[in-house]
């Protein structure tokens, strides 16, 4: 079995959500030093950019990121199938179809959450993707959009994608309001309906179902697992306060050894990665922008954030700035 084809269903017991403009390869490298087990996702990659635009660089990742899944967006089944084939050939362990993002960019392209209105198209796309891909094809969706009744549309949606061959679905337990709410508001204002997602697991026992939306702690994730779901996906909390979510994830959720004891250890383990990135011509900010929340709630956290935020704008910013930022934390906790 190839490294990219490890048991992602087990890894999906805890996953970090795909987040546009956030979960790039540097973010994933950072998260991976804190958890060896949790499933990491790319930010959404548009199928047309890969197939028609030739943007293969969007598929770049380091094998050390495994277990890692590629999320793609689109609405044309043949195009999605080709993108899925490309992702599988690149070494990703899973290809995930985005049917949940309410971004304006997504609506205008007729993909993302708006596809909840076209379950037959989603099912066709899934069938085409499965036929083209050598790795599992999964779906991330909402419980409905706009005036849809989730108790009616979600079971129908799950039936269609299951019958198309999909065996793993992540459900964001909120509606998406495509008219009247911004993408940011869609992450907070529509009420969460966790019980509905749990009922879907009871109704579809043959489908691996993960839950997403509003989950901020490992205890909350574990409660959903203990309640019968197959996985829990954490988004913004894992990004903005990564130490509280990821440092104990392997022991708490997977019963495995945690790779890092402290947030300071995670920072130091990133130092060689940052050095390689700088040597290759990259900028310090590319990596450290994902690390600003590492010491959230800790003495010295503000100075850590300020030093990195203000200093990494310089083209010559290097490891000495990173070390100076870390020293603020170590001195504050000495």
């Amino acid at each position: 079995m190839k490294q990219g084809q490890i048991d992602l269903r087990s890894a999906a017991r805890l996953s970090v959500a795909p987040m546009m403009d956030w979960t790039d390869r540097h973010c994933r490298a950072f998260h991976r030093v804190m958890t060896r087990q949790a499933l990491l996702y790319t930010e959404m990659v548009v199928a047309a950019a890969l197939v028609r635009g030739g943007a293969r660089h969007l598929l770049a990742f380091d094998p050390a990121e495994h277990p890692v899944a590629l999320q793609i967006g689109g609405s044309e089944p043949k195009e999605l199938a080709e993108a899925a084939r490309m992702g599988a050939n690149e070494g990703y362990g899973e290809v995930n179809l985005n049917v949940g993002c309410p971004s304006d960019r997504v609506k205008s392209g007729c993909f993302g959450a708006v596809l909840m209105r076209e379950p037959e198209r989603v099912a066709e796309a899934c069938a085409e993707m499965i036929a083209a891909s050598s790795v599992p094809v999964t779906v991330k969706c909402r419980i409905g959009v706009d005036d849809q009744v989730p108790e009616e549309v979600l079971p129908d949606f799950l039936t269609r994608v299951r019958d198309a061959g999909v065996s793993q679905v992540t459900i964001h337990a909120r509606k998406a309001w495509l008219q009247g709410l911004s993408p940011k508001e869609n992450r907070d204002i529509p009420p969460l309906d966790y019980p509905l997602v749990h009922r879907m697991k009871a109704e579809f026992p043959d489908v691996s179902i993960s839950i997403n939306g509003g989950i901020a702690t490992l205890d909350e994730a574990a409660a959903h697992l203990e309640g019968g779901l197959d996985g829990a996906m954490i988004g913004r909390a894992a990004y903005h306060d990564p130490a509280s979510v990821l440092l104990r994830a392997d022991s708490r959720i997977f019963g495995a050894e945690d790779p890092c004891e402290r947030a300071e250890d995670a920072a130091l383990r990133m130092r060689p990665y940052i050095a390689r990135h700088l040597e290759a011509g990259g900028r310090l900010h590319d990596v450290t922008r994902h690390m600003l929340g590492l010491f959230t709630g800790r003495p010295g956290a503000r100075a850590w954030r300020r030093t990195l935020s203000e200093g990494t704008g310089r083209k010559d910013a290097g490891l000495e700035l990173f070390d100076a930022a870390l020293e603020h934390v170590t001195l504050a906790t000495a």
Side-chain angles (χ1 to χ4, degrees), residues 13-14 198 211 215-234 248-249 251-254:
R13 284 178 58 80
L14 183 73
H198 282 261
I211 192 167
I215 303 169
T217 68
L218 290 178
D219 285 345
E220 292 172 29
H224 285 295
L225 296 173
E226 291 160 6
L229 292 178
D230 301 287
M233 176 181 279
I234 302 181
R248 300 291 174 264
S251 58
R252 179 76 172 87
I253 303 298
F254 299 94

Side-chain angles (χ1 to χ4, degrees), residues 222-333:
H224 285 295
L225 296 173
E226 291 160 6
L229 292 178
D230 301 287
M233 176 181 279
I234 302 181
R236 284 170 290 163
Y239 189 90
H240 292 303
D241 190 4
S244 72
V245 173
L246 299 178
L247 275 181
R248 300 291 174 264
D250 289 4
S251 58
R252 179 76 172 87
I253 303 298
F254 299 94
E257 182 180 357
D258 295 310
C260 281
E261 283 294 318
R262 307 174 305 151
E264 290 90 337
D265 299 330
L268 290 172
R269 287 186 61 186
M270 282 299 293
R271 202 175 184 280
Y273 179 92
I274 294 171
R276 291 194 299 272
H277 179 64
L278 294 173
E279 289 168 4
R283 299 182 64 174
L284 184 64
H285 174 73
D286 299 337
V287 181
T288 57
R289 72 185 184 96
H290 302 297
M291 302 177 65
L292 298 180
L294 179 58
F295 298 103
T296 294
R298 292 270 306 275
R302 182 177 298 179
W304 158 266
R305 291 192 303 270
R306 184 181 64 248
T307 301
L308 291 179
S309 297
E310 295 176 355
T312 53
R314 304 196 316 264
K315 290 184 177 181
D316 63 343
L319 284 172
E320 70 288 344
L321 181 69
F322 180 81
D323 293 338
L326 185 56
E327 187 175 12
H328 287 300
V329 179
T330 55
L331 289 177
T333 55

Side-chain angles (χ1 to χ4, degrees), residues 95-159:
V95 176
N96 179 265
L97 177 60
N98 184 315
V99 193
C101 182
S103 165
D104 291 337
R105 284 180 284 174
V106 171
K107 285 187 291 183
S108 63
C110 191
F111 52 92
V114 70
L115 286 175
M116 292 295 296
R117 295 176 180 155
E118 299 186 65
E120 66 288 342
R121 180 193 286 241
V122 175
E124 180 187 355
C126 289
E128 295 269 6
M129 293 168 70
I130 290 168
S133 173
S134 59
V135 300
V137 172
T138 66
V139 170
K140 186 173 187 289
C141 66
R142 292 271 181 149
I143 61 174
V145 296
D146 297 332
D147 293 324
Q148 288 182 332
V149 179
E151 292 80 359
E152 297 174 0
V153 300
L154 187 57
D156 175 67
F157 180 87
L158 292 177
T159 297

Side-chain angles (χ1 to χ4, degrees), residues 165-248:
V166 172
S167 62
Q168 296 172 252
V169 178
T170 298
I171 304 173
H172 186 139
R174 285 187 175 95
K175 270 188 174 185
W177 285 96
L178 304 179
Q179 303 294 329
L181 292 183
S182 69
K184 181 179 185 300
E185 290 169 331
N186 262 300
R187 294 193 294 265
D188 297 302
I189 293 177
L192 288 160
D193 192 347
Y194 292 152
L196 175 61
V197 180
H198 282 261
R199 291 198 298 274
M200 292 302 97
K201 179 59 188 178
E203 190 170 331
F204 295 87
D206 55 335
V207 178
S208 178
I209 294 181
S210 295
I211 192 167
N212 173 230
I215 303 169
T217 68
L218 290 178
D219 285 345
E220 292 172 29
H224 285 295
L225 296 173
E226 291 160 6
L229 292 178
D230 301 287
M233 176 181 279
I234 302 181
R236 284 170 290 163
Y239 189 90
H240 292 303
D241 190 4
S244 72
V245 173
L246 299 178
L247 275 181
R248 300 291 174 264

